[in-house]
Amino acid sequence: MSRLQQIAIVAASLLAAACSKQKPATTPSIPLVEQRAADPAPTATTDELRSSFAPRGIAASYRATFSEGQIQSLEETRESTSQTGTYEFRGARLTRYRGAALNSNEDIELEFDLQGKVLTARAGNREVSAEEISAIRDRAQSLRSHAVAQHGVRGHEAN
């Protein structure tokens, strides 16, 4: 219930209490507040884009998921090694990466806060190097930029 509706109900209650001490009205009463069902919440539009790209010479195919026009996630498969990685975004920020390292066969997990601070950086039982974190961030940004541009072009062509 909105704040305005709450205020209107309180005002109507006070008015009704004050009027109850008076003689009944001979004309039909008009409601002070018209209540109606709330509009249903808008449904989120989700779509998917499949493409390929080779940032820094490492060719990959990817599937990007968009919601309300914003990229949410991107799953890549690096063509030469069949290694995979999943990037999660919030707006333009990388918030999580899970998948293969770029310079080894290790699986890594990275998590960032919305200011870009590293919260988790694990590769098995060791910490991920700053160089590897930087390389993953750069790759995420390149893939994200490519996906957003492709999504924009395809959206424009559809209109």
Side-chain angles (χ1 to χ4, degrees):
M1 182 181 302
S2 75
R3 180 82 171 138
L4 184 57
Q5 288 174 325
Q6 291 173 339
I7 292 171
I9 290 171
V10 169
S13 298
L14 292 173
L15 185 60
C19 292
S20 67
K21 296 176 185 176
Q22 298 175 358
K23 292 182 183 179
T26 57
T27 60
S29 64
I30 300 171
L32 294 175
V33 177
E34 180 183 323
Q35 292 186 338
R36 60 184 176 125
D39 293 333
T43 57
T45 57
T46 302
D47 57 356
E48 190 176 282
L49 167 80
R50 292 180 185 269
S51 190
S52 58
F53 187 48
R56 301 193 186 248
I58 302 172
S61 57
Y62 66 82
R63 180 176 64 93
T65 304
F66 291 81
S67 179
E68 297 296 319
Q70 296 286 316
I71 191 167
Q72 301 297 304
S73 65
L74 189 145
E75 297 171 16
E76 77 164 320
T77 301
R78 297 176 200 133
E79 293 174 6
S80 64
T81 61
S82 296
Q83 293 174 319
T84 61
T86 301
Y87 305 84
E88 295 176 19
F89 300 93
R90 186 154 181 203
R93 289 280 187 187
L94 176 64
T95 58
R96 182 177 296 243
Y97 173 78
R98 284 190 213 134
L102 295 175
N103 301 320
S104 71
N105 289 328
E106 289 185 292
D107 282 337
I108 64 175
E109 182 176 349
L110 303 174
E111 188 174 354
F112 308 94
D113 68 12
L114 293 178
Q115 287 70 44
K117 179 182 174 189
V118 177
L119 301 175
T120 304
R122 306 291 312 154
N125 59 359
R126 70 170 184 82
E127 291 289 317
V128 177
S129 71
E131 293 80 23
E132 183 74 20
I133 293 170
S134 180
I136 292 290
R137 278 184 162 154
D138 289 347
R139 186 162 184 85
Q141 189 59 38
S142 294
L143 288 165
R144 181 193 163 282
S145 294
H146 188 265
V148 168
Q150 292 294 309
H151 186 257
V153 167
R154 291 181 185 176
H156 181 70
E157 289 173 350
N159 292 330

